[in-house]
Amino acid sequence: MDVLKGAVDFVQNKTKVEVNQRDIEKILSALNSTNHFWEVIFLSQKPFAVVRETINYLISIDFVKTDESGNLILTEKGKEFISANNIPVVKNYTCSYCEGRGIVFSEIKDAYEKFKEIVKTRPDAIVEYDQGYVTEETAFSRIALMIKKGDLVGKRLIVFGDDDLVSIAAALTKLPKEVIVLEIDKRLVEFINQAAKEHNLNLKAIEYDFRNKLPDDFVKSFDTFTIDPPETIEALDLCFTRTISSLKGAGCAGYFGLTNIEASLSKWHEFQKLLLNKFNAVITDIIENFNHYVNWNYLLPSLESSLTFVNVQPKLNWYTSSMYRIELVKDVDIKNEFINCELYIDNEAILYKEN
Amino acid sequence: MDVLKGAVDFVQNKTKVEVNQRDIEKILSALNSTNHFWEVIFLSQKPFAVVRETINYLISIDFVKTDESGNLILTEKGKEFISANNIPVVKNYTCSYCEGRGIVFSEIKDAYEKFKEIVKTRPDAIVEYDQGYVTEETAFSRIALMIKKGDLVGKRLIVFGDDDLVSIAAALTKLPKEVIVLEIDKRLVEFINQAAKEHNLNLKAIEYDFRNKLPDDFVKSFDTFTIDPPETIEALDLCFTRTISSLKGAGCAGYFGLTNIEASLSKWHEFQKLLLNKFNAVITDIIENFNHYVNWNYLLPSLESSLTFVNVQPKLNWYTSSMYRIELVKDVDIKNEFINCELYIDNEAILYKEN
């Protein structure tokens, strides 16, 4: 019996996500390094559903068992396979000084301290808009990256959806010429505008649903955008139709996070083709695990899972994403019109439920 | 007079490289931060010829002057423009602990110490094969990245061209199953095989010219490749025809450096399309300035430049490249045959001479 091949067939059939034997190997490697489900996802960087079903398969062939607390434990049979196939423990060589991002933001520490005060009263993340916000360190690392790359100082920045509150972080540095936020959630629009007023920031939030056309005066109007898009291909296509439309032209830049947790590498591939072929953008940076998300309260209830290993409270900020920076290489003409589409759920989404 | 537009027209006309106003801004920002030509290239991350001709233009409109040592100095007129247009000093937020790479290699320090001993007698970089090798820290950071990503332990690694000697670094860790090097330069083939013999490494170098077909038993035979390709589109197409052919299939990975110095973002765009559309590869990581190259002796003689600001010895390791990691998402069938092409020179190459 070929274990890896068996797992690939089982997982692919269950999830309808493209899977290969090296994906299974990486999940085994993660199981060789931790017994905590959410850390297996973090270490393997494979889609949620792929990790879950791989574990279900490994349990079915007696490679893994769970204890009453939901811990995942390799059996003797599992250990033998791992040893015979030279599957290593995951090595964490991440630089602890910069959390692996490669940049530090000590020069904008004052703004960071103010930011931490302001966000203490931020609205909770809610499931309705697929929310979940990044850590304060992440927000400021993103700002530092923009400054380093020449995309913030004296520039017009537009933030598409901002439960992360990076608009406030950017405005607090006093470096951008102007910051505009388009956000669907009224609570956030109010929170951001209130902060702008109290702290005298050159920052304005406007209520906006991505499906609507971009306000006309925002078309070809900004130097830089940032977004944390939902990860269905439809949502990505829609989001980049809006974000790219907002840029002035060649040389302007965009920043966004993309996970391996809700987007398989096959989806990455399809999405990268969109960026390059449809939107005339080049990818200049992809920094793994740059964005760390704070655990959100609705995770376990929203999953409605009957699996004990899934129903455990995460012990770490397991949900991370890669930081992308793209740059327009040529101007591109995009129709500015209403587009209807499903934003949040496909078969790779954490919230996807089998029928 | 619009300075930025004037510069774009002049530089584009001189270099035939696509340039936009933000490129010129970034070069001005670099000139606002250093007076050393090679550091202007490093800080602006724009192609050599684009930086050189932008400076020539700025000298012609009395924004910049040079002193007798070749230093570049902003004039009052230049300073006024920079101030009026809010062009900042370049901020170096790079993490000093990991040199911005995001990873550390302390766990493989023993191999690193041995490596430093071995490479003391390495062959010099020569112009004939467009050589120029990375620092020892770079080589080991690359190995650490491969280990972290699950691409080295127990894997078959192939190195295409190895003046960097990363094959020796990889083999010294004793982690890969096997390391093979294909290299055109006889001196390097001998050096690597000699090191393998002396240090009992599972490593073999073979003389090979990229234009020849891949040895048949190397087709679909490796888990991981690494390469530092020449940066003409023809060379990139050829190199990836060979490297991708060597991989077993979906989930296998490739590592390589690509500069902004000899490859404009328009070329990056064209090349990324090749990777995605022709080779079924997805880009998983792009880490800026990961690869630092040791200054090579033939630089100034080979340029034959009459410009005083170019004819200065570099004061820093100015030549850097981004580290790419790609992964095959689908198997791809590539014809294995002889291909003839120009490898090293196009209009973005440092060694390009106008006729």
Side-chain angles (χ1 to χ4, degrees), chain B residues 277-315:
Chain B
N277 300 333
K278 179 171 176 181
F279 294 118
N280 288 344
V282 61
I283 306 166
T284 65
D285 300 82
I286 304 178
I287 310 170
E288 196 187 23
N289 288 342
F290 188 103
N291 300 302
H292 301 190
Y293 296 78
V294 177
N295 285 311
W296 54 99
N297 293 328
Y298 66 78
L299 172 67
L300 293 186
S302 68
L303 293 177
E304 300 173 7
S305 177
S306 57
L307 298 165
T308 53
F309 65 84
V310 171
N311 273 315
V312 292
Q313 285 297 338
K315 291 192 295 192

Side-chain angles (χ1 to χ4, degrees), chain B residues 121-321:
Chain B
T121 56
R122 71 197 301 165
D124 279 341
I126 53 175
V127 66
E128 188 178 356
Y129 301 121
D130 192 40
Q131 289 171 346
Y133 51 78
V134 298
T135 63
E136 293 142 9
E137 292 74 21
T138 299
F140 266 76
S141 299
R142 202 182 274 204
I143 299 302
L145 186 62
M146 288 182 192
I147 296 170
K148 180 174 173 234
K149 293 278 193 172
D151 296 324
L152 197 74
V153 180
K155 304 293 186 189
R156 297 194 73 215
L157 170 70
I158 183 163
V159 182
F160 287 85
D162 197 21
D163 51 333
D164 293 339
L165 303 177
V166 286
S167 63
I168 296 177
L172 280 169
T173 65
K174 307 279 180 192
L175 296 172
K177 188 189 273 178
E178 191 185 359
V179 184
I180 294 287
V181 180
L182 298 181
E183 168 61 57
I184 196 168
D185 183 347
K186 280 198 179 89
R187 302 173 311 151
L188 285 166
V189 171
E190 274 169 31
F191 185 84
I192 292 166
N193 284 331
Q194 185 60 32
K197 206 170 140 190
E198 271 176 38
H199 299 272
N200 195 23
L201 304 175
N202 196 355
L203 161 64
K204 190 177 171 189
I206 298 163
E207 203 181 321
Y208 173 72
D209 180 330
F210 270 101
R211 286 167 290 200
N212 293 327
K213 64 184 280 234
L214 208 59
D216 282 327
D217 51 334
F218 290 170
V219 175
K220 289 191 187 293
S221 173
F222 293 88
D223 301 287
T224 307
F225 73 78
T226 177
I227 185 172
D228 235 19
E231 301 191 347
T232 68
I233 280 289
E234 292 72 23
L236 290 166
D237 195 349
L238 175 62
C239 287
F240 285 83
T241 298
R242 302 305 179 213
T243 56
I244 299 281
S245 297
S246 74
L247 293 182
K248 287 175 184 168
C252 291
Y255 292 78
F256 57 94
L258 190 71
T259 74
N260 293 114
I261 298 171
E262 303 195 78
S264 65
L265 286 182
S266 293
K267 198 197 274 181
W268 275 44
H269 186 237
E270 196 178 339
F271 166 60
Q272 291 182 355
K273 282 188 185 181
L274 261 185
L275 286 176
L276 294 166
N277 300 333
K278 179 171 176 181
F279 294 118
N280 288 344
V282 61
I283 306 166
T284 65
D285 300 82
I286 304 178
I287 310 170
E288 196 187 23
N289 288 342
F290 188 103
N291 300 302
H292 301 190
Y293 296 78
V294 177
N295 285 311
W296 54 99
N297 293 328
Y298 66 78
L299 172 67
L300 293 186
S302 68
L303 293 177
E304 300 173 7
S305 177
S306 57
L307 298 165
T308 53
F309 65 84
V310 171
N311 273 315
V312 292
Q313 285 297 338
K315 291 192 295 192
L316 71 165
N317 285 350
W318 63 283
Y319 195 92
T320 62
S321 71

Side-chain angles (χ1 to χ4, degrees), chain A residues 151-203:
Chain A
D151 296 323
L152 197 74
V153 180
K155 304 293 185 188
R156 297 193 73 214
L157 170 70
I158 183 163
V159 182
F160 287 85
D162 197 21
D163 51 332
D164 292 340
L165 303 177
V166 287
S167 63
I168 296 177
L172 280 169
T173 66
K174 306 279 180 194
L175 296 172
K177 188 189 274 180
E178 190 184 0
V179 184
I180 295 286
V181 180
L182 298 181
E183 167 61 57
I184 196 168
D185 184 348
K186 280 197 179 90
R187 302 173 309 151
L188 286 166
V189 171
E190 275 168 31
F191 185 84
I192 292 165
N193 284 331
Q194 185 59 33
K197 206 171 138 189
E198 271 176 37
H199 300 272
N200 195 23
L201 304 175
N202 196 355
L203 161 64

Side-chain angles (χ1 to χ4, degrees), chain B residues 64-89:
Chain B
V64 169
K65 59 183 182 187
T66 55
D67 69 13
E68 68 285 355
S69 321
N71 289 320
L72 295 160
I73 298 151
L74 287 167
T75 62
E76 281 311 310
K77 212 170 141 193
K79 282 183 196 163
E80 273 164 30
F81 181 85
I82 277 175
S83 159
N85 289 275
N86 203 359
I87 292 173
V89 168

Side-chain angles (χ1 to χ4, degrees), chain B residues 84-95:
Chain B
N85 289 275
N86 203 359
I87 292 173
V89 168
V90 180
K91 289 291 182 183
N92 188 356
Y93 289 165
T94 304
C95 175

Side-chain angles (χ1 to χ4, degrees), chain A residues 246-341:
Chain A
S246 74
L247 293 181
K248 287 175 184 168
C252 291
Y255 291 78
F256 57 93
L258 191 71
T259 74
N260 292 115
I261 298 172
E262 303 195 78
S264 65
L265 286 182
S266 293
K267 198 197 274 180
W268 276 44
H269 185 237
E270 196 178 338
F271 167 61
Q272 290 182 354
K273 281 189 186 181
L274 261 185
L275 285 177
L276 294 166
N277 300 333
K278 179 171 176 181
F279 293 118
N280 288 345
V282 61
I283 306 165
T284 65
D285 300 81
I286 304 179
I287 310 170
E288 196 187 22
N289 289 341
F290 188 103
N291 300 302
H292 300 190
Y293 296 78
V294 177
N295 285 310
W296 55 99
N297 293 327
Y298 66 79
L299 173 67
L300 292 185
S302 68
L303 293 177
E304 300 173 6
S305 177
S306 57
L307 298 165
T308 52
F309 66 84
V310 171
N311 273 316
V312 291
Q313 285 297 338
K315 291 192 293 192
L316 71 165
N317 285 349
W318 63 283
Y319 194 93
T320 62
S321 71
S322 292
M323 185 82 237
Y324 271 68
R325 179 182 180 275
I326 59 172
E327 197 169 315
L328 267 193
V329 284
K330 264 183 289 204
D331 293 1
V332 51
D333 272 312
I334 299 172
K335 245 191 176 160
N336 189 25
E337 60 188 2
F338 175 81
I339 301 172
N340 202 1
C341 81

Side-chain angles (χ1 to χ4, degrees), chain A residues 10 15 37 125 135 146 161 172 208 234 263 275 333 342 350-351:
Chain A
F10 177 88
T15 62
F37 175 66
T135 64
M146 288 181 192
L172 280 169
Y208 174 71
E234 292 72 22
L275 285 177
D333 272 312
E342 168 56 48
I350 293 185
L351 291 178

